[in-house]
Amino acid sequence: MNSPWKGKAKATNQDYDDLRPTITYRHLLSNNLGVRDPLRVVALCDSDAFYAACERIRLELDPSVPIVVQQWESLIAVSYPAREFGISRMDKIKDAKKKCPNLLAVHVATYKEGEKEPGYWTDIDTRTHKVSLDLYRRESNKIISMFKEALPTGEVEKASIDEAFIDFTRPVREQLLERYPYIAQVPVDAPNGIDSPLPPPPPIKWDDLGTVILPEEIDSAGEQSNIEVDGDATWHDVALSIAAELMRKIREDIHSKLGYTTSAGIARNKFLAKLCASYKKPNSQTILRNRAIPDYLHPLPFQKIRFLGGKLGDALAKEYDVSTVGDLLTVSLDEIQSKFGENALWVYEFLRGIDRTEVKEKSALFKSMLASKNLPKPIIQPSDGHQWIRILAAELALRLNDARVSMPTLWPKSIVLHARKGYETSRSKQATFPFVRNVTVDVIATAADKLWKDLTDDAKTVNITSVQLAFTGLEKTEMGQKSIEGFFTTRDVQQTSLKRSREDDEPLVSPEKTLPTSSYVEAVSFKCTRCRKTIALREDQATGGPNEVAQRLATLRSEHGDFHFAQDLAHSTDGSVPVPRGSSSKRKKVESEGIAKFFIKK
Ligand code: TTP
Ligand code: CA
Ligand code: CA
């Protein structure tokens, strides 16, 4: 085998022996090799100057406008045109304006008392307003949806507000089999049957696919070397090039439909994809071929790698008195594990470009939703809490309603109010969240005001320095899909209330068909999860066409829900629940031996 790292430090030679694995028909035709798939391809796609781009698009400005986003006095996003003036996130807004007099500085949207929606106000003040990231969250979701739509068989994992990992392994495999049908079947004369290696791969045209990172010796040979690179290509390179083609297309679509430019890294795993995504920015993509991995990793200062920064990086640097990835390759696995604990295996592997973590969509369902504000000026009069409660309620209302667009039955079990008094630990009160059709700011604020009253306990003065309002126990409600959907969305009643839920293990009943008796009986009553009663239409209401009956049932459901809501408001349903003294400041210090403590979290 022609080793591209021949002549480099000996210790590295065998470390990379998985870079050119023999790929057999079995590998190609197996669909579930997971992270061990030798044809695995992963990408990380990150939006360029994301918040700045969101604001530019909202304002319908030309992409060449130098724009920054500020939060109070700090810059949190700097567009690429603004970067050309030497402006960075570190700058103070004043200095940025000195560098570029035409700079457009947009303050991030804020919630303000009395306003249902966040907005761009002229009187922004941290003492009265609260930052809203809702625009960015929504735009982010649009981008993620485009990835998912474009790649129904790919896995998409949102990694932060402006980036996602995409597992291209399946979509690429589909393309491989379609484009090269001659590898889709084991040839009859294959010496080892399904375990025979695939024939040599076709030539690859890397043009227009992005920046291809090359091994040093080829890179230094200059442009013409591309031919040589292709001559040495593997099926994994073919896989990378197909992923790059798909990625480029999706990035173009995101740009033309939504206006965002993005930068992507494409490699054999998450760690490497993330690492090379920022190789060239903005609006570009970078492909890291397996054979280029050693040369790419060796000179990197390991403390620049996300997981190896911070205290762990410091400890490694100190322990071995070195700074680059290449320097650390002489440290054996035993050695690294004896000093840093068993878990240090991942450090050993990362240094060698190995990362076995899966790309996995995290559940879109977060169990809780929290809005919080650190108060620049403490609340002294209990009555002054109301304005903050309304602001936090507005944020929760918007976020819950946003989430319910895709999950109409999403419902919080409880609402919790935390308040921190001076340097004391925070106190909290919680209550069952009322069951009501429209979650408005008023509904939330009314429930939260009650909690506030309990929390402040009729004190004359308080000294509250931070407030948090949260929904907890968020779940897709399970009171029978059809009933709940009928309750929440009267418009869709025809379909939802007559359909059997999929969990029922029975065929779906479409509204056009005559309903069998059992379904019909179901469709004239529902069981309330609050009071456990079966609520049924009167006999005279239960006659007529199925659609009419469904409409009446939906009305009954919403009336019943409103009844509970009214009851909840009338009776104080709260129970005071001590909150685990959670916040990190009070967490007990865990003593651990030496530098092994850095792995406790991992
Ligand atoms: P980044 O992806 O780190 O940066 P960016 O998108 O602004 O620029 P780049 O083109 O270099 O990727 O962060 C995404 C968004 O997260 C950013 O637009 C604003 C926000 N953010 C903060 O609010 N505070 C921070 O300290 C950082 C790093 C980001
Ligand atoms: Ca970004
Ligand atoms: Ca990012």
Side-chain angles (χ1 to χ4, degrees):
M1 184 169 41
N2 203 354
S3 167
W5 50 92
K6 205 161 46 190
K8 298 257 146 59
K10 279 176 232 92
T12 71
N13 211 338
Q14 73 214 38
D15 288 331
Y16 294 105
D17 61 2
D18 68 329
L19 295 184
R20 289 198 65 149
T22 303
I23 297 169
T24 64
Y25 287 93
R26 188 186 296 280
H27 288 134
L28 179 74
L29 303 174
S30 307
N31 232 339
N32 46 11
L33 296 174
V35 298
R36 299 191 178 275
D37 194 327
L39 289 171
R40 189 169 184 236
V41 184
V42 173
L44 182 279
C45 188
D46 176 283
S47 298
D48 300 322
F50 187 54
Y51 290 7
C54 290
E55 298 298 348
R56 171 184 55 80
I57 288 162
R58 178 182 65 83
L59 295 167
E60 299 180 12
L61 300 174
D62 192 85
S64 64
V65 170
I67 178 173
V68 293
V69 176
Q70 74 183 96
Q71 177 175 324
W72 317 127
E73 290 311 308
S74 315
L75 291 189
I76 54 171
V78 180
S79 69
Y80 282 80
R83 291 185 203 190
E84 282 178 17
F85 291 86
I87 299 170
S88 82
R89 239 199 292 263
M90 300 301 155
D91 286 320
K92 288 247 156 33
I93 186 80
K94 258 196 218 145
D95 299 328
K97 281 185 174 159
K98 267 186 214 148
K99 290 180 184 174
C100 171
N102 289 331
L103 185 70
L104 177 63
V106 179
H107 193 284
V108 55
T110 50
Y111 288 95
K112 170 184 179 180
E113 194 195 355
E115 303 286 347
K116 285 201 169 65
E117 300 266 331
Y120 297 85
W121 324 106
T122 49
D123 60 344
I124 312 152
D125 188 329
T126 177
R127 287 169 302 180
T128 47
H129 294 56
K130 177 184 185 315
V131 164
S132 148
L133 302 180
D134 302 290
L135 170 69
Y136 315 134
R137 220 174 265 135
R138 284 177 181 162
E139 294 300 291
S140 169
N141 288 340
K142 287 186 199 165
I143 296 175
I144 299 280
S145 300
M146 286 193 65
F147 288 135
K148 289 186 183 165
E149 273 163 34
L151 298 163
T153 61
E155 191 76 22
V156 178
E157 174 186 324
K158 188 169 173 167
S160 79
I161 196 151
D162 78 332
E163 54 198 83
F165 285 108
I166 300 151
D167 194 330
F168 274 99
T169 314
R170 272 171 199 263
V172 162
R173 195 177 240 90
E174 288 160 7
Q175 288 294 312
L176 280 173
L177 296 173
E178 196 181 307
R179 294 183 192 188
Y180 310 105
Y182 61 91
I183 55 169
Q185 263 171 358
V186 186
V188 279
D189 56 349
N192 285 320
I194 194 165
D195 291 310
S196 309
L198 295 179
I204 302 168
K205 264 189 80 186
W206 293 104
D207 318 357
D208 305 329
L209 292 184
T211 305
V212 182
I213 299 181
L214 298 171
E216 219 171 66
E217 59 200 43
I218 298 177
D219 201 24
S220 52
E223 289 294 310
Q224 297 163 330
S225 60
N226 263 340
I227 300 153
E228 191 204 335
V229 173
D230 284 351
D232 205 24
T234 65
W235 279 103
H236 187 262
D237 292 316
V238 180
L240 284 172
S241 71
I242 294 175
E245 213 181 295
L246 299 172
M247 187 80 242
R248 184 189 58 192
K249 172 81 172 63
I250 301 171
R251 290 182 41 250
E252 280 168 4
D253 285 351
I254 290 172
H255 187 221
S256 64
K257 293 214 176 84
L258 304 174
Y260 298 98
T261 65
T262 52
S263 298
I266 302 156
R268 67 171 176 165
N269 59 39
K270 289 170 85 173
F271 164 62
L272 295 170
K274 167 82 184 168
L275 209 54
C276 68
S278 50
Y279 189 77
K280 203 165 163 233
K281 264 181 152 285
N283 199 17
S284 70
Q285 60 184 43
T286 301
I287 302 147
L288 178 60
R289 297 179 59 191
N290 284 0
R291 63 177 303 193
I293 293 172
D295 282 355
Y296 178 63
L297 285 181
H298 286 188
L300 286 185
F302 57 82
Q303 284 173 285
K304 289 259 168 73
I305 297 173
R306 196 165 49 144
F307 307 101
L308 299 177
K311 287 183 184 167
L312 171 59
D314 290 345
L316 282 166
K318 210 169 141 215
E319 180 76 27
Y320 300 109
D321 193 22
V322 291
S323 62
T324 68
V325 170
D327 295 337
L328 278 176
L329 290 174
T330 49
V331 184
S332 72
L333 179 60
D334 280 352
E335 154 90 18
I336 222 166
Q337 284 185 319
S338 71
K339 292 232 166 65
F340 293 83
E342 289 287 301
N343 279 331
L345 174 63
W346 69 264
V347 175
Y348 181 87
E349 291 192 332
F350 269 32
L351 296 171
R352 287 153 180 83
I354 299 166
D355 175 9
R356 302 180 201 278
T357 46
E358 277 179 281
V359 176
K360 208 160 179 54
E361 180 175 0
K362 300 207 182 79
S363 161
L365 198 57
F366 299 105
K367 285 275 175 191
S368 60
M369 210 173 252
L370 178 104
S372 74
K373 173 81 186 179
N374 287 326
L375 301 166
K377 207 175 97 217
I379 298 174
I380 304 295
Q381 302 295 324
S383 57
D384 291 341
H386 183 70
Q387 69 163 100
W388 288 114
I389 284 190
R390 285 203 67 88
I391 284 176
L392 299 176
E395 178 171 349
L396 285 187
L398 185 133
R399 285 174 58 189
L400 182 66
N401 287 316
D402 267 5
R404 284 175 59 193
V405 171
S406 56
M407 283 175 279
T409 66
L410 191 65
W411 200 257
K413 281 213 177 67
S414 311
I415 178 166
V416 188
L417 179 75
H418 297 255
R420 186 179 291 276
K421 297 185 183 179
Y423 292 105
E424 286 173 37
T425 43
S426 72
R427 293 188 55 201
S428 76
K429 292 280 173 181
Q430 85 172 39
T432 306
F433 191 68
F435 204 52
V436 56
R437 186 175 356 192
N438 294 316
V439 189
T440 59
V441 182
D442 286 338
V443 169
I444 302 172
T446 306
D449 273 341
K450 269 201 158 73
L451 297 176
W452 175 258
K453 235 177 135 220
D454 278 2
L455 198 93
T456 51
D457 211 9
D458 283 335
K460 291 227 164 54
T461 60
V462 288
N463 179 29
I464 288 174
T465 50
S466 90
V467 271
Q468 303 187 328
L469 190 62
F471 283 142
T472 60
L474 275 168
E475 268 171 26
K476 292 187 193 170
T477 317
E478 278 174 8
M479 75 186 242
Q481 205 67 355
K482 54 188 175 300
S483 335
I484 199 85
E485 280 174 7
F487 176 71
F488 285 135
T489 53
T490 26
R491 274 175 293 122
D492 299 329
V493 151
Q494 286 191 5
Q495 286 183 8
T496 53
S497 62
L498 294 180
K499 256 188 219 164
R500 291 191 153 268
S501 78
R502 283 172 195 275
E503 290 86 23
D504 280 356
D505 229 3
E506 278 175 60
L508 290 176
V509 180
S510 75
E512 300 84 37
K513 292 190 187 142
T514 326
L515 292 164
T517 325
S518 64
S519 304
Y520 194 65
V521 170
E522 277 234 14
V524 298
S525 68
F526 67 93
K527 190 161 178 183
C528 171
T529 50
R530 289 288 304 276
C531 59
R532 307 235 153 251
K533 283 186 187 145
T534 299
I535 311 295
L537 290 173
R538 286 195 318 267
E539 227 171 86
D540 59 310
Q541 295 173 315
T543 55
N547 295 348
E548 286 165 54
V549 174
Q551 288 283 2
R552 286 186 209 123
L553 187 65
T555 308
L556 185 66
R557 272 191 206 107
S558 74
E559 283 170 5
H560 188 76
D562 291 346
F563 156 77
H564 278 301
F565 178 49
Q567 275 208 325
D568 284 336
L569 288 184
H571 312 294
S572 180
T573 53
D574 57 64
S576 170
V577 183
V579 191
R581 317 217 149 159
S583 52
S584 50
S585 59
K586 288 280 163 184
R587 198 179 291 144
K588 257 197 191 162
K589 253 198 188 152
V590 185
E591 292 302 334
S592 55
E593 287 170 39
I595 37 192
K597 62 176 175 267
F598 299 125
F599 295 98
I600 285 167
K601 272 192 141 173
K602 180 77 195 181

